Tab-separated table of all heavy atoms in Angstrom:
chain	number	residue	atom	x	y	z
A	417	ASN	N	0.908	-1.162	-0.015
A	417	ASN	CA	-0.029	0.008	0.018
A	417	ASN	C	0.897	1.274	0.000
A	417	ASN	O	1.707	1.419	0.917
A	417	ASN	CB	-0.981	0.029	1.284
A	417	ASN	CG	-1.883	1.188	1.243
A	417	ASN	OD1	-1.482	2.311	1.388
A	417	ASN	ND2	-3.157	0.883	0.930
A	418	VAL	N	0.760	2.014	-1.076
A	418	VAL	CA	1.497	3.290	-1.143
A	418	VAL	C	0.467	4.425	-1.294
A	418	VAL	O	-0.248	4.456	-2.255
A	418	VAL	CB	2.458	3.335	-2.351
A	418	VAL	CG1	3.204	4.597	-2.423
A	418	VAL	CG2	3.381	2.147	-2.330
A	419	MET	N	0.332	5.280	-0.308
A	419	MET	CA	-0.565	6.375	-0.255
A	419	MET	C	-2.004	6.004	-0.723
A	419	MET	O	-2.589	6.637	-1.550
A	419	MET	CB	0.024	7.460	-1.187
A	419	MET	CG	1.368	8.036	-0.695
A	419	MET	SD	2.085	9.434	-1.566
A	419	MET	CE	1.669	9.284	-3.262
A	420	GLY	N	-2.482	4.867	-0.096
A	420	GLY	CA	-3.828	4.509	-0.380
A	420	GLY	C	-4.037	3.646	-1.649
A	420	GLY	O	-5.183	3.207	-1.901
A	421	SER	N	-3.014	3.435	-2.347
A	421	SER	CA	-3.205	2.564	-3.655
A	421	SER	C	-2.440	1.261	-3.359
A	421	SER	O	-1.361	1.190	-2.938
A	421	SER	CB	-2.508	3.332	-4.789
A	421	SER	OG	-2.640	2.539	-5.926
A	422	ASP	N	-3.181	0.197	-3.682
A	422	ASP	CA	-2.680	-1.202	-3.469
A	422	ASP	C	-2.044	-1.750	-4.687
A	422	ASP	O	-2.568	-1.606	-5.757
A	422	ASP	CB	-3.812	-2.151	-2.971
A	422	ASP	CG	-4.271	-1.819	-1.563
A	422	ASP	OD1	-3.515	-1.219	-0.826
A	422	ASP	OD2	-5.455	-2.218	-1.272
A	423	THR	N	-0.930	-2.366	-4.555
A	423	THR	CA	-0.194	-3.091	-5.647
A	423	THR	C	0.050	-4.517	-5.155
A	423	THR	O	0.553	-4.698	-3.989
A	423	THR	CB	1.145	-2.391	-5.936
A	423	THR	OG1	0.857	-1.037	-6.265
A	423	THR	CG2	1.866	-3.061	-7.122
A	424	TYR	N	-0.258	-5.481	-6.048
A	424	TYR	CA	-0.026	-6.890	-5.667
A	424	TYR	C	1.201	-7.433	-6.415
A	424	TYR	O	1.422	-7.157	-7.528
A	424	TYR	CB	-1.257	-7.688	-6.071
A	424	TYR	CG	-2.480	-7.396	-5.231
A	424	TYR	CD1	-3.274	-6.319	-5.544
A	424	TYR	CD2	-2.776	-8.204	-4.101
A	424	TYR	CE1	-4.407	-6.059	-4.729
A	424	TYR	CE2	-3.881	-7.956	-3.374
A	424	TYR	CZ	-4.701	-6.853	-3.677
A	424	TYR	OH	-5.804	-6.605	-2.946
A	425	GLN	N	2.056	-8.128	-5.602
A	425	GLN	CA	3.200	-8.752	-6.215
A	425	GLN	C	3.021	-10.334	-6.083
A	425	GLN	O	2.744	-10.863	-4.960
A	425	GLN	CB	4.439	-8.437	-5.466
A	425	GLN	CG	5.732	-9.131	-5.934
A	425	GLN	CD	6.909	-8.742	-5.112
A	425	GLN	OE1	7.089	-7.584	-4.727
A	425	GLN	NE2	7.736	-9.664	-4.795
A	426	ILE	N	3.098	-11.029	-7.192
A	426	ILE	CA	2.814	-12.415	-7.155
A	426	ILE	C	4.108	-13.130	-7.629
A	426	ILE	O	4.750	-12.842	-8.613
A	426	ILE	CB	1.759	-12.782	-8.157
A	426	ILE	CG1	0.502	-11.970	-7.900
A	426	ILE	CG2	1.418	-14.311	-8.180
A	426	ILE	CD1	-0.564	-11.990	-8.936
A	427	THR	N	4.581	-14.163	-6.824
A	427	THR	CA	5.707	-14.986	-7.285
A	427	THR	C	5.304	-16.398	-7.168
A	427	THR	O	4.436	-16.829	-6.353
A	427	THR	CB	6.872	-14.727	-6.289
A	427	THR	OG1	6.459	-14.996	-4.942
A	427	THR	CG2	7.422	-13.375	-6.393
A	428	GLY	N	5.840	-17.218	-8.115
A	428	GLY	CA	5.506	-18.653	-8.113
A	428	GLY	C	5.905	-19.232	-9.460
A	428	GLY	O	6.410	-18.592	-10.338
A	429	ASN	N	5.527	-20.454	-9.730
A	429	ASN	CA	5.694	-21.099	-10.940
A	429	ASN	C	4.558	-20.801	-11.938
A	429	ASN	O	3.404	-20.893	-11.591
A	429	ASN	CB	5.804	-22.661	-10.770
A	429	ASN	CG	6.893	-23.124	-9.864
A	429	ASN	OD1	7.984	-22.453	-9.929
A	429	ASN	ND2	6.750	-24.085	-9.088
A	430	VAL	N	4.953	-20.422	-13.094
A	430	VAL	CA	3.996	-19.888	-14.092
A	430	VAL	C	3.819	-20.961	-15.238
A	430	VAL	O	4.741	-21.521	-15.708
A	430	VAL	CB	4.416	-18.583	-14.733
A	430	VAL	CG1	3.470	-18.005	-15.780
A	430	VAL	CG2	4.599	-17.548	-13.636
A	431	ARG	N	2.540	-21.099	-15.575
A	431	ARG	CA	2.233	-21.896	-16.774
A	431	ARG	C	1.068	-21.200	-17.512
A	431	ARG	O	0.262	-20.466	-16.902
A	431	ARG	CB	1.911	-23.352	-16.437
A	431	ARG	CG	0.524	-23.613	-15.790
A	431	ARG	CD	0.364	-25.097	-15.641
A	431	ARG	NE	-1.047	-25.375	-15.354
A	431	ARG	CZ	-1.616	-25.337	-14.170
A	431	ARG	NH1	-0.904	-25.002	-13.148
A	431	ARG	NH2	-2.841	-25.653	-14.031
A	432	GLU	N	1.005	-21.387	-18.788
A	432	GLU	CA	-0.055	-20.746	-19.579
A	432	GLU	C	-0.958	-21.837	-20.258
A	432	GLU	O	-0.379	-22.863	-20.701
A	432	GLU	CB	0.492	-19.889	-20.628
A	432	GLU	CG	1.221	-18.644	-20.185
A	432	GLU	CD	1.710	-17.716	-21.249
A	432	GLU	OE1	1.365	-17.989	-22.426
A	432	GLU	OE2	2.468	-16.758	-20.990
A	433	GLU	N	-2.196	-21.580	-20.253
A	433	GLU	CA	-3.133	-22.462	-20.957
A	433	GLU	C	-3.824	-21.614	-22.004
A	433	GLU	O	-4.487	-20.676	-21.691
A	433	GLU	CB	-4.164	-23.124	-19.909
A	433	GLU	CG	-3.614	-24.040	-18.959
A	433	GLU	CD	-4.553	-24.632	-17.996
A	433	GLU	OE1	-5.702	-24.296	-18.099
A	433	GLU	OE2	-4.101	-25.420	-17.187
A	434	GLU	N	-3.777	-22.175	-23.246
A	434	GLU	CA	-4.456	-21.433	-24.329
A	434	GLU	C	-5.919	-21.739	-24.265
A	434	GLU	O	-6.355	-22.862	-23.869
A	434	GLU	CB	-3.851	-21.986	-25.729
A	434	GLU	CG	-2.431	-21.621	-25.863
A	434	GLU	CD	-2.097	-20.173	-25.984
A	434	GLU	OE1	-2.918	-19.446	-26.628
A	434	GLU	OE2	-1.111	-19.729	-25.466
A	435	LYS	N	-6.691	-20.765	-24.607
A	435	LYS	CA	-8.169	-20.919	-24.704
A	435	LYS	C	-8.617	-21.059	-26.052
A	435	LYS	O	-7.983	-20.472	-26.983
A	435	LYS	CB	-8.844	-19.730	-24.073
A	435	LYS	CG	-8.793	-19.513	-22.590
A	435	LYS	CD	-9.616	-18.271	-22.220
A	435	LYS	CE	-9.558	-17.936	-20.806
A	435	LYS	NZ	-10.301	-16.690	-20.542
A	436	GLU	N	-9.638	-21.883	-26.238
A	436	GLU	CA	-10.200	-22.003	-27.609
A	436	GLU	C	-11.309	-20.941	-27.612
A	436	GLU	O	-12.228	-20.924	-26.929
A	436	GLU	CB	-10.813	-23.407	-27.826
A	436	GLU	CG	-11.390	-23.573	-29.161
A	436	GLU	CD	-11.936	-25.029	-29.382
A	436	GLU	OE1	-11.294	-25.952	-28.843
A	436	GLU	OE2	-12.974	-25.113	-30.007
A	437	ILE	N	-11.055	-20.014	-28.646
A	437	ILE	CA	-12.037	-18.965	-28.773
A	437	ILE	C	-13.144	-19.341	-29.646
A	437	ILE	O	-12.973	-19.847	-30.774
A	437	ILE	CB	-11.313	-17.717	-29.401
A	437	ILE	CG1	-10.232	-17.173	-28.514
A	437	ILE	CG2	-12.373	-16.542	-29.626
A	437	ILE	CD1	-9.329	-16.153	-29.060
A	438	VAL	N	-14.355	-19.343	-29.099
A	438	VAL	CA	-15.588	-19.718	-29.787
A	438	VAL	C	-16.332	-18.444	-30.296
A	438	VAL	O	-16.674	-17.629	-29.512
A	438	VAL	CB	-16.522	-20.513	-28.952
A	438	VAL	CG1	-17.751	-20.951	-29.739
A	438	VAL	CG2	-15.766	-21.777	-28.480
A	439	LEU	N	-16.441	-18.351	-31.694
A	439	LEU	CA	-17.029	-17.208	-32.245
A	439	LEU	C	-18.455	-17.445	-32.357
A	439	LEU	O	-18.885	-18.442	-33.034
A	439	LEU	CB	-16.352	-16.866	-33.595
A	439	LEU	CG	-16.951	-15.682	-34.366
A	439	LEU	CD1	-16.625	-14.383	-33.620
A	439	LEU	CD2	-16.276	-15.692	-35.837
A	440	GLU	N	-19.318	-16.487	-31.736
A	440	GLU	CA	-20.691	-16.688	-31.874
A	440	GLU	C	-21.220	-15.526	-32.746
A	440	GLU	O	-21.013	-14.396	-32.474
A	440	GLU	CB	-21.343	-16.555	-30.538
A	440	GLU	CG	-21.066	-17.719	-29.638
A	440	GLU	CD	-21.750	-17.721	-28.299
A	440	GLU	OE1	-22.827	-17.134	-28.224
A	440	GLU	OE2	-21.190	-18.310	-27.369
A	441	ILE	N	-21.908	-15.977	-33.829
A	441	ILE	CA	-22.414	-14.948	-34.764
A	441	ILE	C	-24.003	-15.088	-34.693
A	441	ILE	O	-24.577	-16.094	-34.804
A	441	ILE	CB	-22.001	-15.269	-36.219
A	441	ILE	CG1	-20.443	-15.189	-36.253
A	441	ILE	CG2	-22.619	-14.239	-37.163
A	441	ILE	CD1	-19.843	-15.717	-37.548
A	442	ASN	N	-24.540	-13.877	-34.398
A	442	ASN	CA	-26.049	-14.004	-34.179
A	442	ASN	C	-26.772	-13.826	-35.504
A	442	ASN	O	-26.216	-13.393	-36.583
A	442	ASN	CB	-26.525	-12.824	-33.218
A	442	ASN	CG	-26.210	-11.500	-33.669
A	442	ASN	OD1	-26.396	-11.106	-34.816
A	442	ASN	ND2	-25.844	-10.623	-32.775
A	443	ASP	N	-28.031	-14.279	-35.505
A	443	ASP	CA	-28.843	-14.332	-36.731
A	443	ASP	C	-29.039	-12.874	-37.373
A	443	ASP	O	-29.097	-12.807	-38.593
A	443	ASP	CB	-30.229	-14.899	-36.439
A	443	ASP	CG	-30.079	-16.481	-36.061
A	443	ASP	OD1	-29.085	-17.015	-36.491
A	443	ASP	OD2	-30.994	-16.915	-35.368
A	444	GLU	N	-29.079	-11.858	-36.525
A	444	GLU	CA	-29.319	-10.566	-37.080
A	444	GLU	C	-28.125	-10.137	-37.948
A	444	GLU	O	-28.272	-9.536	-39.010
A	444	GLU	CB	-29.439	-9.555	-35.920
A	444	GLU	CG	-30.798	-9.722	-35.183
A	444	GLU	CD	-30.768	-8.875	-33.919
A	444	GLU	OE1	-29.827	-8.188	-33.634
A	444	GLU	OE2	-31.856	-8.886	-33.357
A	445	ASP	N	-26.884	-10.488	-37.513
A	445	ASP	CA	-25.743	-10.108	-38.291
A	445	ASP	C	-25.681	-10.968	-39.643
A	445	ASP	O	-25.356	-10.325	-40.657
A	445	ASP	CB	-24.411	-10.397	-37.510
A	445	ASP	CG	-24.296	-9.468	-36.355
A	445	ASP	OD1	-24.973	-8.432	-36.313
A	445	ASP	OD2	-23.337	-9.741	-35.494
A	446	ILE	N	-26.071	-12.153	-39.577
A	446	ILE	CA	-26.121	-12.952	-40.828
A	446	ILE	C	-27.120	-12.355	-41.795
A	446	ILE	O	-26.795	-12.226	-42.950
A	446	ILE	CB	-26.463	-14.511	-40.413
A	446	ILE	CG1	-25.347	-15.140	-39.627
A	446	ILE	CG2	-26.722	-15.208	-41.718
A	446	ILE	CD1	-25.692	-16.364	-38.991
A	447	GLU	N	-28.345	-12.009	-41.251
A	447	GLU	CA	-29.327	-11.470	-42.135
A	447	GLU	C	-28.898	-10.153	-42.697
A	447	GLU	O	-29.102	-9.830	-43.952
A	447	GLU	CB	-30.613	-11.307	-41.392
A	447	GLU	CG	-31.478	-12.469	-41.283
A	447	GLU	CD	-32.866	-12.253	-40.749
A	447	GLU	OE1	-33.470	-11.239	-41.213
A	447	GLU	OE2	-33.227	-13.024	-39.822
A	448	LEU	N	-28.234	-9.309	-41.879
A	448	LEU	CA	-27.765	-8.049	-42.436
A	448	LEU	C	-26.801	-8.213	-43.516
A	448	LEU	O	-26.922	-7.481	-44.604
A	448	LEU	CB	-27.095	-7.194	-41.263
A	448	LEU	CG	-26.568	-5.882	-41.611
A	448	LEU	CD1	-27.734	-4.852	-41.869
A	448	LEU	CD2	-25.625	-5.325	-40.575
A	449	VAL	N	-25.793	-9.041	-43.328
A	449	VAL	CA	-24.792	-9.242	-44.472
A	449	VAL	C	-25.462	-9.857	-45.633
A	449	VAL	O	-25.187	-9.481	-46.781
A	449	VAL	CB	-23.629	-10.205	-43.880
A	449	VAL	CG1	-22.715	-10.557	-45.086
A	449	VAL	CG2	-22.851	-9.410	-42.786
A	450	ALA	N	-26.361	-10.872	-45.470
A	450	ALA	CA	-27.029	-11.469	-46.622
A	450	ALA	C	-27.817	-10.488	-47.357
A	450	ALA	O	-27.782	-10.468	-48.622
A	450	ALA	CB	-27.889	-12.611	-46.120
A	451	ASN	N	-28.571	-9.593	-46.692
A	451	ASN	CA	-29.437	-8.607	-47.396
A	451	ASN	C	-28.565	-7.499	-48.051
A	451	ASN	O	-28.914	-7.054	-49.092
A	451	ASN	CB	-30.348	-7.952	-46.510
A	451	ASN	CG	-31.426	-8.919	-45.951
A	451	ASN	OD1	-31.730	-9.871	-46.640
A	451	ASN	ND2	-31.980	-8.689	-44.823
A	452	GLN	N	-27.424	-7.131	-47.459
A	452	GLN	CA	-26.590	-6.101	-48.022
A	452	GLN	C	-25.891	-6.521	-49.298
A	452	GLN	O	-25.824	-5.747	-50.234
A	452	GLN	CB	-25.449	-5.649	-47.027
A	452	GLN	CG	-25.949	-4.827	-45.929
A	452	GLN	CD	-26.188	-3.415	-46.377
A	452	GLN	OE1	-25.404	-2.866	-47.233
A	452	GLN	NE2	-27.198	-2.768	-45.884
A	453	VAL	N	-25.522	-7.759	-49.433
A	453	VAL	CA	-24.725	-8.278	-50.475
A	453	VAL	C	-25.684	-9.132	-51.518
A	453	VAL	O	-25.265	-9.290	-52.660
A	453	VAL	CB	-23.624	-9.177	-50.023
A	453	VAL	CG1	-22.677	-9.592	-51.170
A	453	VAL	CG2	-22.745	-8.304	-49.070
A	454	GLY	N	-26.769	-9.616	-51.012
A	454	GLY	CA	-27.654	-10.387	-51.840
A	454	GLY	C	-27.233	-11.791	-51.951
A	454	GLY	O	-27.207	-12.391	-53.071
A	455	VAL	N	-26.756	-12.371	-50.832
A	455	VAL	CA	-26.346	-13.867	-50.938
A	455	VAL	C	-27.149	-14.596	-49.874
A	455	VAL	O	-27.941	-14.012	-49.103
A	455	VAL	CB	-24.852	-13.943	-50.527
A	455	VAL	CG1	-24.019	-13.246	-51.614
A	455	VAL	CG2	-24.549	-13.390	-49.173
A	456	SER	N	-27.026	-15.889	-49.862
A	456	SER	CA	-27.716	-16.715	-48.937
A	456	SER	C	-27.160	-16.574	-47.551
A	456	SER	O	-26.110	-16.068	-47.387
A	456	SER	CB	-27.559	-18.187	-49.367
A	456	SER	OG	-26.301	-18.638	-49.150
A	457	LYS	N	-28.042	-16.989	-46.580
A	457	LYS	CA	-27.553	-16.833	-45.198
A	457	LYS	C	-26.342	-17.715	-44.865
A	457	LYS	O	-25.466	-17.378	-44.120
A	457	LYS	CB	-28.686	-17.252	-44.265
A	457	LYS	CG	-29.838	-16.205	-44.249
A	457	LYS	CD	-30.884	-16.628	-43.306
A	457	LYS	CE	-32.032	-15.590	-43.239
A	457	LYS	NZ	-33.073	-15.943	-42.307
A	458	GLU	N	-26.223	-18.856	-45.575
A	458	GLU	CA	-25.035	-19.759	-45.379
A	458	GLU	C	-23.794	-19.087	-45.849
A	458	GLU	O	-22.779	-19.130	-45.239
A	458	GLU	CB	-25.265	-21.104	-46.086
A	458	GLU	CG	-26.383	-21.969	-45.566
A	458	GLU	CD	-27.752	-21.536	-45.927
A	458	GLU	OE1	-27.923	-20.811	-46.983
A	458	GLU	OE2	-28.718	-21.910	-45.227
A	459	VAL	N	-23.860	-18.428	-47.034
A	459	VAL	CA	-22.699	-17.761	-47.558
A	459	VAL	C	-22.320	-16.590	-46.642
A	459	VAL	O	-21.097	-16.324	-46.348
A	459	VAL	CB	-22.972	-17.228	-49.039
A	459	VAL	CG1	-21.802	-16.357	-49.452
A	459	VAL	CG2	-23.169	-18.394	-49.944
A	460	ALA	N	-23.291	-15.833	-46.136
A	460	ALA	CA	-23.111	-14.667	-45.273
A	460	ALA	C	-22.508	-15.193	-44.029
A	460	ALA	O	-21.551	-14.498	-43.434
A	460	ALA	CB	-24.450	-13.987	-45.009
A	461	GLU	N	-22.926	-16.256	-43.429
A	461	GLU	CA	-22.413	-16.810	-42.190
A	461	GLU	C	-20.935	-17.244	-42.394
A	461	GLU	O	-20.082	-16.983	-41.540
A	461	GLU	CB	-23.245	-18.036	-41.673
A	461	GLU	CG	-22.749	-18.491	-40.389
A	461	GLU	CD	-23.713	-19.672	-39.836
A	461	GLU	OE1	-24.631	-20.106	-40.557
A	461	GLU	OE2	-23.467	-20.021	-38.679
A	462	ASP	N	-20.619	-17.909	-43.502
A	462	ASP	CA	-19.288	-18.232	-43.790
A	462	ASP	C	-18.364	-17.051	-43.842
A	462	ASP	O	-17.239	-17.028	-43.336
A	462	ASP	CB	-19.155	-19.117	-45.037
A	462	ASP	CG	-19.772	-20.481	-44.878
A	462	ASP	OD1	-19.965	-20.921	-43.718
A	462	ASP	OD2	-20.038	-21.125	-45.959
A	463	ALA	N	-18.776	-15.925	-44.553
A	463	ALA	CA	-18.011	-14.817	-44.606
A	463	ALA	C	-17.724	-14.121	-43.294
A	463	ALA	O	-16.706	-13.623	-43.025
A	463	ALA	CB	-18.731	-13.797	-45.576
């Protein structure tokens, strides 16, 4: 604690675990892209 502000110091053995990022695309976005470009919803979702 320095003048009311807290700082944390951590020591130990470090390891990293990668996360699998799951991309969620909602139906409104798919429809918007499909309507803007004039393609099917499947093509819009792939894009």
Side-chain angles (χ1 to χ4, degrees):
N417 184 289
V418 181
M419 298 185 327
S421 181
D422 291 336
T423 302
Y424 291 84
Q425 175 182 325
I426 305 164
T427 56
N429 298 326
V430 178
R431 74 177 194 276
E432 293 185 9
E433 291 182 0
E434 298 294 321
K435 289 184 185 176
E436 184 176 320
I437 299 173
V438 178
L439 179 64
E440 293 183 27
I441 300 170
N442 62 42
D443 291 336
E444 292 171 356
D445 290 348
I446 294 169
E447 278 189 46
L448 178 74
V449 172
N451 291 336
Q452 283 285 321
V453 185
V455 295
S456 69
K457 289 182 180 180
E458 292 79 19
V459 172
E461 185 176 6
D462 291 342

